[in-house]
Structures are given as C-alpha cells and as structure tokens.
Amino acid sequence: MTEKTYPLYLHKKHEERGARFGVFGEWEVPLYYTSILEEHEQVRKRAGLFDISHMGEFVVTGKGAESYLDFLLPRNIKKLPLGKALYSPLLNERGGFVDDIIVYKVSSERFWIIVNAGNVAKDFAWFKTNLSGDVLLTNESDNKGLLAIQGPLALQVVNQLYPSLKLSQLSNYGFIEIEGGMIARTGYTGEDGFEIMIDKSELNHLWDRCFQNPDLKPIGFGARDTLRLEAAMLLYGHDMNEEVNPLEAGIGWTLDFTKTEFVARDILLKIKEQGITRKLIGFEMMDRGIPRQGYPILKSGKKTGEVTSGGVSPTLQKNIGLGYVPIESSAINEEIEILVRDRPQKAKIIPIPFYHRKKSE
Amino acid sequence: MNIPQDLKYTKTHEWAKREGNIVIVGITEYAQKEISDVVFVETPKLGQQIERGKPAAVVESVKAAFDIYAPVSGKVSKVNQSLESAPGIINEECYGKGWFFEIDMSYDDDWNQLLSADQYSDHLKQESTKH
C-alpha cells in the first residue's frame, strides 16, 4: 500500500530539468537533477534554486495579533522590529515541539508565518485553539508558492530579478513585502540566501526568470538535506518532535523567560532549573560507517540514544550526524559508537554547527 | 539504458559475467543511476561463502544504503579493492572498473537461472510501468 502523494505545483518544470523524484512527507519532490554531490557544491560555491512550495503560510492580523503571538510563542514578538523575521519553536503545553516556524512582522497588527509542510493542518489547529479576540488567522498555503535562492551568488541573482528593491540592504532575517508575498533574507542551507513568497499563479514565471542567470542551478531535496545537516539546522520529525523540548534540542535561546507568560513557560522554566536529562549532540564518525536516521547510539556497548539525522558531509568529507544522548555523556570529544548494520562504529561528539560559512562582508 | 548483451542479470539489478567457474559481479546502469553518488561500499570478505539471492555487499550513496545481492552461490574469490578508495567508479564505469567481487560458483545451475540482457530489459520496462 502506497500513501497518497501530491506533486509540487512546479512538477512539470522539475521534469523538464531532468529531476529524479522522491517522496518527502506527503509530497512528491525533486530529489536531485544531476547529482546530490554536484548540487551541494553548487550551493556552497555559487548559487542554487530550491522549490519549497510545499511549505505552509499563515497570516495573522488584527489589533490583538502581536499579543496573541507573544503568548503562543516562546520568543519575544513585541521586541521584534518591523520588517524583521525570527525563527521560533511552536510548543505544546508540555513544552514539546508542535513545529518550528518563521514569524515575519509586517506591523504589530500583521504577521506572516511559514510552517513545515507536514505540519500545516496540525499547526493551524493549534494556532486556532489558542486564538483570542481581535485576531484573524488565515491559511494561505494553497495560494502561495515559495522559492529559495541560496549560495554566495544569491544576492547577485535576486538583484537581477528585482533591480529596484536594493536587496543588498536587507539584513539577515530582514524581509520586504512584494506584490502577492515577500522576499526574506533567510534559508536552510547555512549560506547567504533569500526566500521568495509569491502567488502560485506567478510561480512558473518566476522559476523561468531565475534561470536567466547562468550561474543558478536547480537543487533537489537531497542536497537540501545534506546542506542543512552540515549547518546543523534541525529537521522537524527527525531532530525534534512533540516529545522533546527546545532545551534538549539545544535551542534554549529561543525561550524568553523574561516574558511573564507564554505556552509551556512554567514547565520549561522548571525543566531548566532542574536540568535536562538528555541533549541533542553532533558527532563525526571515526570509523568508516555512515550514520543514518534511526541507527542506535551506543555508550560502552549499551544503547543510549538514536541518530535523528545522519549522512555524508560533502563539504567536510566526513560522515556526520545528530542524535540525543544522556546529558552525562554529552560532552565534546566524548567517544560514542553508532550501530551500523549490527556493527558498532566509533564516533566522537563534536561542536555544532559542523559547517560555518566564511563571512565575506 | 546500456545493457550489454554478453552479461547475465538479476531482477535486483546486479550483472554477472562468467569466466570458467568464476562469476564476476557488479551493478547495472539502471541501479547505478537509481543509487547515484556512491560514497561507500562494503564488500564481502575474501573466502566468504555467499548465497544466491542473499545480500552480499552494501552500497551507500549520499541518500541511503542499498543491499547488493549475490547472483549465484559460492565462495568469494576476489574483491575489487579500488572501491574502498574510489567508490565513485561505480557511477562512472558500472560494467567495467566498478565491478564488486568474483564468486567461485558452487552450483552450475545457478547460472542458468539468471536473466539474459533481453529478459532484463523487459524486466526494467515492467518496473517502470509499475510506478
């Protein structure tokens, strides 16, 4: 029995570019066009174009919009400047991840929210449950498309697309609204880059226009995963889920305890004071095996955790992974083992992110 | 799709070439393209007894790990050492330098069970209509 999968809006465009398709959640997506390794390098050294239209978009408007989001989310939405976006966990009452999202503040009465594709229905329901008066919530996911342009040449590419917008002045996590959507200096690759949201009806045209720049190549979901793993950017459903909290996931900085109220504040504050028992760590393989999601992590021969993301790092020429381990064996340089096809393979805990881009500015 | 006439094939996309009682094994162009970007190969050990239809090697690409099945039963008589340092040759030359291992065949009849190039080509057509 195969689950129902949906093609992306630009499926034909991907076919034209020779994409090989795979399944990501309930979507049929381009895995790669030429090779994951080539596409990975294309983004690290030049620029790549990603179709991420499977992702969800909400709009929150109304007089109470800011206070509503400031309560729903652990980060400080009131202090967020206009024209700026931020990354935030969306938490359940137990402090576990419902999702991780990006919030864009157009004004204190108008926000865009971008959520993970697989969580659109669940997130929308959770947003709705917490809705208070004076706030209007709409799901724009069926109407909006999203393209990401990432890599050292990304700025050059978007400047050609939108010569009048002065996008070089956009700071990291800054955004500006355009007809039908917005352009933000955000991404999921560890490189400089932009994400462009527009009406789906404009998507084919924008996709074609992007390729007027010969330096730009299409990039599939295969390289999207290797790029984000090197940058140790978490993937929902892998590195976090409803049962782990931001303190364990290593993003405690997203919890603003100076706020008197937000969903799961008290329970998380208590956990913080008592100390967490497990923690997300990054590791590199010392032996030759390649770690994959679900492989057991061993300490002194005993299973203590599981790999949540793992694979090859094309940039670092190493095999790397993320996973949760007990706090007492989570120190940098600690030796662990990964069980690869019934054989324990030596690995070492190392700092994350694995990859830092060189700042050119 | 390149499917050399002088080789035999399995439904699981291995090719086999016979020289006397020795059978050389690799993966087909179709398999190589499906797997893409080979980065690591785990070959069987020299002298290891392997069984027809059972996993005999593992190929890891950037995206996942794939089992490679023995086309015939027998003892591993030779292993392609260059796969360790240059696994990418499987993508470049799957029918040549990218061979995996040689088997000293135990049962002659195993050979007759394998698919001809034409049969394998039909099998690929069936696979592609399934999707």
Side-chain angles (χ1 to χ4, degrees), chain B residues 2 5-6 12 16-18 20 27 32 35 38 40 45 52 55 57 63-64 68 70 100 108 110 114 119-120 124 131:
Chain B
N2 180 16
Q5 280 294 330
D6 58 329
T12 49
K17 183 182 185 180
R18 188 167 179 179
I27 62 170
Q32 170 273 115
I35 293 169
V38 175
F40 181 59
K45 291 193 177 57
R52 181 165 71 97
K63 58 177 176 181
I68 303 304
F100 278 59
D108 218 50
D110 278 1
L114 296 170
Q119 286 168 326
Y120 178 63
L124 283 186
H131 294 298

PDB file of all heavy atoms in Angstrom, chain B residues 2 5-6 12 16-18 20 27 32 35 38 40 45 52 55 57 63-64 68 70 100 108 110 114 119-120 124 131:
ATOM      1  N   ASN B   2      22.092   1.300 -21.111  1.00  0.00           N
ATOM      2  CA  ASN B   2      23.089   0.349 -21.602  1.00  0.00           C
ATOM      3  C   ASN B   2      22.966  -0.994 -20.866  1.00  0.00           C
ATOM      4  O   ASN B   2      23.161  -1.063 -19.657  1.00  0.00           O
ATOM      5  CB  ASN B   2      24.488   0.955 -21.413  1.00  0.00           C
ATOM      6  CG  ASN B   2      25.593   0.036 -21.907  1.00  0.00           C
ATOM      7  OD1 ASN B   2      25.336  -0.919 -22.643  1.00  0.00           O
ATOM      8  ND2 ASN B   2      26.825   0.312 -21.495  1.00  0.00           N
ATOM      9  N   GLN B   5      24.971  -7.178 -24.024  1.00  0.00           N
ATOM     10  CA  GLN B   5      24.412  -8.476 -24.414  1.00  0.00           C
ATOM     11  C   GLN B   5      25.176  -9.653 -23.812  1.00  0.00           C
ATOM     12  O   GLN B   5      24.601 -10.712 -23.589  1.00  0.00           O
ATOM     13  CB  GLN B   5      24.415  -8.596 -25.954  1.00  0.00           C
ATOM     14  CG  GLN B   5      23.270  -7.867 -26.647  1.00  0.00           C
ATOM     15  CD  GLN B   5      21.881  -8.454 -26.332  1.00  0.00           C
ATOM     16  OE1 GLN B   5      21.750  -9.646 -26.085  1.00  0.00           O
ATOM     17  NE2 GLN B   5      20.861  -7.607 -26.329  1.00  0.00           N
ATOM     18  N   ASP B   6      26.480  -9.466 -23.556  1.00  0.00           N
ATOM     19  CA  ASP B   6      27.289 -10.615 -23.129  1.00  0.00           C
ATOM     20  C   ASP B   6      27.217 -10.885 -21.614  1.00  0.00           C
ATOM     21  O   ASP B   6      27.901 -11.761 -21.116  1.00  0.00           O
ATOM     22  CB  ASP B   6      28.752 -10.409 -23.556  1.00  0.00           C
ATOM     23  CG  ASP B   6      29.337  -9.125 -22.973  1.00  0.00           C
ATOM     24  OD1 ASP B   6      28.561  -8.158 -22.769  1.00  0.00           O
ATOM     25  OD2 ASP B   6      30.551  -9.100 -22.711  1.00  0.00           O
ATOM     26  N   THR B  12      17.171  -7.909  -9.250  1.00  0.00           N
ATOM     27  CA  THR B  12      17.569  -6.888  -8.280  1.00  0.00           C
ATOM     28  C   THR B  12      18.708  -6.012  -8.820  1.00  0.00           C
ATOM     29  O   THR B  12      19.377  -5.315  -8.076  1.00  0.00           O
ATOM     30  CB  THR B  12      17.990  -7.541  -6.953  1.00  0.00           C
ATOM     31  OG1 THR B  12      18.911  -8.612  -7.243  1.00  0.00           O
ATOM     32  CG2 THR B  12      16.787  -8.097  -6.223  1.00  0.00           C
ATOM     33  N   ALA B  16      26.190 -10.174 -14.034  1.00  0.00           N
ATOM     34  CA  ALA B  16      27.138 -11.263 -13.776  1.00  0.00           C
ATOM     35  C   ALA B  16      27.826 -11.643 -15.084  1.00  0.00           C
ATOM     36  O   ALA B  16      27.194 -11.690 -16.138  1.00  0.00           O
ATOM     37  CB  ALA B  16      26.402 -12.474 -13.207  1.00  0.00           C
ATOM     38  N   LYS B  17      29.139 -11.902 -14.989  1.00  0.00           N
ATOM     39  CA  LYS B  17      29.910 -12.289 -16.170  1.00  0.00           C
ATOM     40  C   LYS B  17      30.679 -13.564 -15.826  1.00  0.00           C
ATOM     41  O   LYS B  17      31.320 -13.631 -14.774  1.00  0.00           O
ATOM     42  CB  LYS B  17      30.877 -11.168 -16.521  1.00  0.00           C
ATOM     43  CG  LYS B  17      31.681 -11.421 -17.774  1.00  0.00           C
ATOM     44  CD  LYS B  17      32.642 -10.272 -18.011  1.00  0.00           C
ATOM     45  CE  LYS B  17      33.361 -10.458 -19.328  1.00  0.00           C
ATOM     46  NZ  LYS B  17      34.303  -9.351 -19.558  1.00  0.00           N
ATOM     47  N   ARG B  18      30.592 -14.549 -16.697  1.00  0.00           N
ATOM     48  CA  ARG B  18      31.201 -15.845 -16.381  1.00  0.00           C
ATOM     49  C   ARG B  18      32.517 -16.040 -17.109  1.00  0.00           C
ATOM     50  O   ARG B  18      32.626 -15.785 -18.305  1.00  0.00           O
ATOM     51  CB  ARG B  18      30.228 -16.952 -16.760  1.00  0.00           C
ATOM     52  CG  ARG B  18      30.694 -18.302 -16.291  1.00  0.00           C
ATOM     53  CD  ARG B  18      29.589 -19.324 -16.398  1.00  0.00           C
ATOM     54  NE  ARG B  18      30.096 -20.613 -15.957  1.00  0.00           N
ATOM     55  CZ  ARG B  18      29.383 -21.717 -15.908  1.00  0.00           C
ATOM     56  NH1 ARG B  18      28.122 -21.697 -16.282  1.00  0.00           N
ATOM     57  NH2 ARG B  18      29.924 -22.838 -15.494  1.00  0.00           N
ATOM     58  N   GLY B  20      34.865 -19.317 -17.026  1.00  0.00           N
ATOM     59  CA  GLY B  20      35.052 -20.648 -16.455  1.00  0.00           C
ATOM     60  C   GLY B  20      34.086 -20.826 -15.300  1.00  0.00           C
ATOM     61  O   GLY B  20      32.889 -20.609 -15.444  1.00  0.00           O
ATOM     62  N   ILE B  27      26.897  -3.927 -10.530  1.00  0.00           N
ATOM     63  CA  ILE B  27      25.509  -3.464 -10.612  1.00  0.00           C
ATOM     64  C   ILE B  27      25.273  -2.788 -11.963  1.00  0.00           C
ATOM     65  O   ILE B  27      26.209  -2.275 -12.587  1.00  0.00           O
ATOM     66  CB  ILE B  27      25.117  -2.515  -9.453  1.00  0.00           C
ATOM     67  CG1 ILE B  27      25.949  -1.225  -9.457  1.00  0.00           C
ATOM     68  CG2 ILE B  27      25.233  -3.234  -8.116  1.00  0.00           C
ATOM     69  CD1 ILE B  27      25.447  -0.164  -8.486  1.00  0.00           C
ATOM     70  N   GLN B  32      22.911   1.879 -10.823  1.00  0.00           N
ATOM     71  CA  GLN B  32      23.882   2.946 -10.566  1.00  0.00           C
ATOM     72  C   GLN B  32      23.202   4.314 -10.603  1.00  0.00           C
ATOM     73  O   GLN B  32      23.442   5.170  -9.754  1.00  0.00           O
ATOM     74  CB  GLN B  32      24.988   2.810 -11.622  1.00  0.00           C
ATOM     75  CG  GLN B  32      25.992   3.897 -11.730  1.00  0.00           C
ATOM     76  CD  GLN B  32      25.557   5.016 -12.657  1.00  0.00           C
ATOM     77  OE1 GLN B  32      25.355   6.140 -12.200  1.00  0.00           O
ATOM     78  NE2 GLN B  32      25.386   4.754 -13.931  1.00  0.00           N
ATOM     79  N   ILE B  35      20.799   4.624  -7.531  1.00  0.00           N
ATOM     80  CA  ILE B  35      21.533   4.817  -6.279  1.00  0.00           C
ATOM     81  C   ILE B  35      22.191   6.198  -6.267  1.00  0.00           C
ATOM     82  O   ILE B  35      22.120   6.904  -5.271  1.00  0.00           O
ATOM     83  CB  ILE B  35      22.572   3.688  -6.088  1.00  0.00           C
ATOM     84  CG1 ILE B  35      21.851   2.345  -5.867  1.00  0.00           C
ATOM     85  CG2 ILE B  35      23.506   3.994  -4.936  1.00  0.00           C
ATOM     86  CD1 ILE B  35      22.751   1.123  -5.916  1.00  0.00           C
ATOM     87  N   VAL B  38      27.673   7.236  -5.362  1.00  0.00           N
ATOM     88  CA  VAL B  38      28.162   6.222  -4.419  1.00  0.00           C
ATOM     89  C   VAL B  38      29.334   6.786  -3.611  1.00  0.00           C
ATOM     90  O   VAL B  38      30.268   7.352  -4.176  1.00  0.00           O
ATOM     91  CB  VAL B  38      28.604   4.943  -5.163  1.00  0.00           C
ATOM     92  CG1 VAL B  38      29.225   3.945  -4.196  1.00  0.00           C
ATOM     93  CG2 VAL B  38      27.412   4.319  -5.877  1.00  0.00           C
ATOM     94  N   PHE B  40      30.407   4.981  -0.512  1.00  0.00           N
ATOM     95  CA  PHE B  40      30.993   3.946   0.343  1.00  0.00           C
ATOM     96  C   PHE B  40      30.488   2.577  -0.086  1.00  0.00           C
ATOM     97  O   PHE B  40      29.311   2.424  -0.425  1.00  0.00           O
ATOM     98  CB  PHE B  40      30.607   4.214   1.803  1.00  0.00           C
ATOM     99  CG  PHE B  40      31.178   3.235   2.795  1.00  0.00           C
ATOM    100  CD1 PHE B  40      32.544   3.071   2.921  1.00  0.00           C
ATOM    101  CD2 PHE B  40      30.342   2.477   3.605  1.00  0.00           C
ATOM    102  CE1 PHE B  40      33.075   2.161   3.839  1.00  0.00           C
ATOM    103  CE2 PHE B  40      30.862   1.576   4.537  1.00  0.00           C
ATOM    104  CZ  PHE B  40      32.224   1.423   4.646  1.00  0.00           C
ATOM    105  N   LYS B  45      33.963 -10.491   2.401  1.00  0.00           N
ATOM    106  CA  LYS B  45      35.360 -10.842   2.678  1.00  0.00           C
ATOM    107  C   LYS B  45      35.819 -11.952   1.744  1.00  0.00           C
ATOM    108  O   LYS B  45      35.025 -12.791   1.330  1.00  0.00           O
ATOM    109  CB  LYS B  45      35.492 -11.308   4.132  1.00  0.00           C
ATOM    110  CG  LYS B  45      35.284 -10.166   5.093  1.00  0.00           C
ATOM    111  CD  LYS B  45      35.719 -10.516   6.502  1.00  0.00           C
ATOM    112  CE  LYS B  45      35.565  -9.305   7.400  1.00  0.00           C
ATOM    113  NZ  LYS B  45      34.178  -8.778   7.398  1.00  0.00           N
ATOM    114  N   ARG B  52      23.020 -17.363  -3.202  1.00  0.00           N
ATOM    115  CA  ARG B  52      22.237 -16.724  -4.255  1.00  0.00           C
ATOM    116  C   ARG B  52      20.999 -16.022  -3.689  1.00  0.00           C
ATOM    117  O   ARG B  52      20.252 -16.604  -2.898  1.00  0.00           O
ATOM    118  CB  ARG B  52      21.790 -17.775  -5.277  1.00  0.00           C
ATOM    119  CG  ARG B  52      20.988 -17.215  -6.416  1.00  0.00           C
ATOM    120  CD  ARG B  52      20.892 -18.206  -7.556  1.00  0.00           C
ATOM    121  NE  ARG B  52      20.035 -19.338  -7.226  1.00  0.00           N
ATOM    122  CZ  ARG B  52      18.740 -19.420  -7.579  1.00  0.00           C
ATOM    123  NH1 ARG B  52      18.174 -18.453  -8.264  1.00  0.00           N
ATOM    124  NH2 ARG B  52      18.037 -20.477  -7.250  1.00  0.00           N
ATOM    125  N   PRO B  55      21.903 -10.846   0.554  1.00  0.00           N
ATOM    126  CA  PRO B  55      22.780  -9.672   0.483  1.00  0.00           C
ATOM    127  C   PRO B  55      24.254 -10.072   0.590  1.00  0.00           C
ATOM    128  O   PRO B  55      24.608 -10.876   1.455  1.00  0.00           O
ATOM    129  CB  PRO B  55      22.382  -8.836   1.702  1.00  0.00           C
ATOM    130  CG  PRO B  55      21.022  -9.315   2.081  1.00  0.00           C
ATOM    131  CD  PRO B  55      20.962 -10.763   1.684  1.00  0.00           C
ATOM    132  N   ALA B  57      26.807  -7.473  -0.398  1.00  0.00           N
ATOM    133  CA  ALA B  57      27.562  -6.225  -0.269  1.00  0.00           C
ATOM    134  C   ALA B  57      26.564  -5.101   0.002  1.00  0.00           C
ATOM    135  O   ALA B  57      25.360  -5.287  -0.180  1.00  0.00           O
ATOM    136  CB  ALA B  57      28.346  -5.942  -1.549  1.00  0.00           C
ATOM    137  N   LYS B  63      22.240   9.519  -0.450  1.00  0.00           N
ATOM    138  CA  LYS B  63      20.886   9.468   0.093  1.00  0.00           C
ATOM    139  C   LYS B  63      20.577   8.263   0.978  1.00  0.00           C
ATOM    140  O   LYS B  63      19.799   8.405   1.908  1.00  0.00           O
ATOM    141  CB  LYS B  63      19.838   9.630  -1.017  1.00  0.00           C
ATOM    142  CG  LYS B  63      19.879   8.621  -2.130  1.00  0.00           C
ATOM    143  CD  LYS B  63      18.733   8.856  -3.146  1.00  0.00           C
ATOM    144  CE  LYS B  63      18.847   7.890  -4.304  1.00  0.00           C
ATOM    145  NZ  LYS B  63      17.826   8.038  -5.319  1.00  0.00           N
ATOM    146  N   ALA B  64      21.145   7.089   0.718  1.00  0.00           N
ATOM    147  CA  ALA B  64      20.777   5.920   1.526  1.00  0.00           C
ATOM    148  C   ALA B  64      21.729   4.751   1.306  1.00  0.00           C
ATOM    149  O   ALA B  64      22.651   4.825   0.493  1.00  0.00           O
ATOM    150  CB  ALA B  64      19.353   5.484   1.192  1.00  0.00           C
ATOM    151  N   ILE B  68      23.308  -5.239  -2.022  1.00  0.00           N
ATOM    152  CA  ILE B  68      23.634  -5.853  -3.311  1.00  0.00           C
ATOM    153  C   ILE B  68      23.563  -7.373  -3.106  1.00  0.00           C
ATOM    154  O   ILE B  68      24.172  -7.898  -2.175  1.00  0.00           O
ATOM    155  CB  ILE B  68      25.062  -5.452  -3.770  1.00  0.00           C
ATOM    156  CG1 ILE B  68      25.179  -3.917  -3.835  1.00  0.00           C
ATOM    157  CG2 ILE B  68      25.415  -6.107  -5.097  1.00  0.00           C
ATOM    158  CD1 ILE B  68      24.153  -3.230  -4.716  1.00  0.00           C
ATOM    159  N   ALA B  70      23.757 -11.531  -4.081  1.00  0.00           N
ATOM    160  CA  ALA B  70      24.601 -12.461  -4.830  1.00  0.00           C
ATOM    161  C   ALA B  70      23.789 -13.087  -5.959  1.00  0.00           C
ATOM    162  O   ALA B  70      22.738 -13.661  -5.703  1.00  0.00           O
ATOM    163  CB  ALA B  70      25.135 -13.542  -3.898  1.00  0.00           C
ATOM    164  N   PHE B 100      32.310  -5.448  -8.454  1.00  0.00           N
ATOM    165  CA  PHE B 100      32.331  -5.583  -6.992  1.00  0.00           C
ATOM    166  C   PHE B 100      33.223  -6.717  -6.498  1.00  0.00           C
ATOM    167  O   PHE B 100      34.143  -6.520  -5.735  1.00  0.00           O
ATOM    168  CB  PHE B 100      30.910  -5.817  -6.455  1.00  0.00           C
ATOM    169  CG  PHE B 100      30.115  -4.557  -6.304  1.00  0.00           C
ATOM    170  CD1 PHE B 100      29.870  -3.734  -7.392  1.00  0.00           C
ATOM    171  CD2 PHE B 100      29.607  -4.178  -5.071  1.00  0.00           C
ATOM    172  CE1 PHE B 100      29.126  -2.574  -7.257  1.00  0.00           C
ATOM    173  CE2 PHE B 100      28.859  -3.018  -4.929  1.00  0.00           C
ATOM    174  CZ  PHE B 100      28.618  -2.225  -6.025  1.00  0.00           C
ATOM    175  N   ASP B 108      26.506 -25.048 -10.837  1.00  0.00           N
ATOM    176  CA  ASP B 108      26.443 -24.598 -12.217  1.00  0.00           C
ATOM    177  C   ASP B 108      25.038 -24.142 -12.602  1.00  0.00           C
ATOM    178  O   ASP B 108      24.860 -23.216 -13.392  1.00  0.00           O
ATOM    179  CB  ASP B 108      26.863 -25.767 -13.123  1.00  0.00           C
ATOM    180  CG  ASP B 108      27.682 -25.251 -14.295  1.00  0.00           C
ATOM    181  OD1 ASP B 108      28.635 -24.485 -14.046  1.00  0.00           O
ATOM    182  OD2 ASP B 108      27.343 -25.584 -15.437  1.00  0.00           O
ATOM    183  N   ASP B 110      22.920 -22.458 -11.021  1.00  0.00           N
ATOM    184  CA  ASP B 110      22.609 -21.062 -10.651  1.00  0.00           C
ATOM    185  C   ASP B 110      22.718 -20.140 -11.864  1.00  0.00           C
ATOM    186  O   ASP B 110      21.935 -19.212 -12.032  1.00  0.00           O
ATOM    187  CB  ASP B 110      23.591 -20.551  -9.576  1.00  0.00           C
ATOM    188  CG  ASP B 110      23.181 -21.001  -8.176  1.00  0.00           C
ATOM    189  OD1 ASP B 110      22.159 -21.714  -8.070  1.00  0.00           O
ATOM    190  OD2 ASP B 110      23.890 -20.643  -7.219  1.00  0.00           O
ATOM    191  N   LEU B 114      19.788 -17.061 -14.236  1.00  0.00           N
ATOM    192  CA  LEU B 114      19.919 -15.606 -14.417  1.00  0.00           C
ATOM    193  C   LEU B 114      19.222 -15.138 -15.695  1.00  0.00           C
ATOM    194  O   LEU B 114      18.963 -15.927 -16.602  1.00  0.00           O
ATOM    195  CB  LEU B 114      21.410 -15.230 -14.445  1.00  0.00           C
ATOM    196  CG  LEU B 114      22.145 -15.504 -13.126  1.00  0.00           C
ATOM    197  CD1 LEU B 114      23.652 -15.339 -13.319  1.00  0.00           C
ATOM    198  CD2 LEU B 114      21.647 -14.587 -12.021  1.00  0.00           C
ATOM    199  N   GLN B 119      15.785 -10.312 -21.413  1.00  0.00           N
ATOM    200  CA  GLN B 119      14.854 -10.527 -20.292  1.00  0.00           C
ATOM    201  C   GLN B 119      14.957  -9.410 -19.260  1.00  0.00           C
ATOM    202  O   GLN B 119      13.959  -8.939 -18.730  1.00  0.00           O
ATOM    203  CB  GLN B 119      15.142 -11.881 -19.612  1.00  0.00           C
ATOM    204  CG  GLN B 119      14.670 -13.067 -20.431  1.00  0.00           C
ATOM    205  CD  GLN B 119      15.222 -14.389 -19.877  1.00  0.00           C
ATOM    206  OE1 GLN B 119      16.347 -14.439 -19.364  1.00  0.00           O
ATOM    207  NE2 GLN B 119      14.421 -15.442 -19.989  1.00  0.00           N
ATOM    208  N   TYR B 120      16.197  -8.999 -18.996  1.00  0.00           N
ATOM    209  CA  TYR B 120      16.395  -7.911 -18.019  1.00  0.00           C
ATOM    210  C   TYR B 120      15.796  -6.609 -18.538  1.00  0.00           C
ATOM    211  O   TYR B 120      15.152  -5.855 -17.795  1.00  0.00           O
ATOM    212  CB  TYR B 120      17.884  -7.739 -17.700  1.00  0.00           C
ATOM    213  CG  TYR B 120      18.161  -6.597 -16.736  1.00  0.00           C
ATOM    214  CD1 TYR B 120      17.669  -6.617 -15.435  1.00  0.00           C
ATOM    215  CD2 TYR B 120      18.892  -5.476 -17.149  1.00  0.00           C
ATOM    216  CE1 TYR B 120      17.902  -5.571 -14.557  1.00  0.00           C
ATOM    217  CE2 TYR B 120      19.137  -4.423 -16.272  1.00  0.00           C
ATOM    218  CZ  TYR B 120      18.642  -4.477 -14.983  1.00  0.00           C
ATOM    219  OH  TYR B 120      18.867  -3.431 -14.129  1.00  0.00           O
ATOM    220  N   LEU B 124      12.975  -4.312 -16.720  1.00  0.00           N
ATOM    221  CA  LEU B 124      13.060  -2.870 -16.449  1.00  0.00           C
ATOM    222  C   LEU B 124      11.807  -2.140 -16.936  1.00  0.00           C
ATOM    223  O   LEU B 124      11.305  -1.248 -16.274  1.00  0.00           O
ATOM    224  CB  LEU B 124      14.286  -2.261 -17.144  1.00  0.00           C
ATOM    225  CG  LEU B 124      15.643  -2.487 -16.505  1.00  0.00           C
ATOM    226  CD1 LEU B 124      16.700  -1.681 -17.258  1.00  0.00           C
ATOM    227  CD2 LEU B 124      15.643  -2.106 -15.036  1.00  0.00           C
ATOM    228  N   HIS B 131       5.422   2.203 -11.601  1.00  0.00           N
ATOM    229  CA  HIS B 131       5.436   3.453 -10.848  1.00  0.00           C
ATOM    230  C   HIS B 131       4.411   4.452 -11.360  1.00  0.00           C
ATOM    231  O   HIS B 131       4.107   4.464 -12.527  1.00  0.00           O
ATOM    232  CB  HIS B 131       6.845   4.076 -10.901  1.00  0.00           C
ATOM    233  CG  HIS B 131       7.839   3.213 -10.181  1.00  0.00           C
ATOM    234  ND1 HIS B 131       7.759   2.928  -8.847  1.00  0.00           N
ATOM    235  CD2 HIS B 131       8.909   2.536 -10.635  1.00  0.00           C
ATOM    236  CE1 HIS B 131       8.747   2.122  -8.508  1.00  0.00           C
ATOM    237  NE2 HIS B 131       9.459   1.873  -9.561  1.00  0.00           N
TER     238      HIS B 131
END
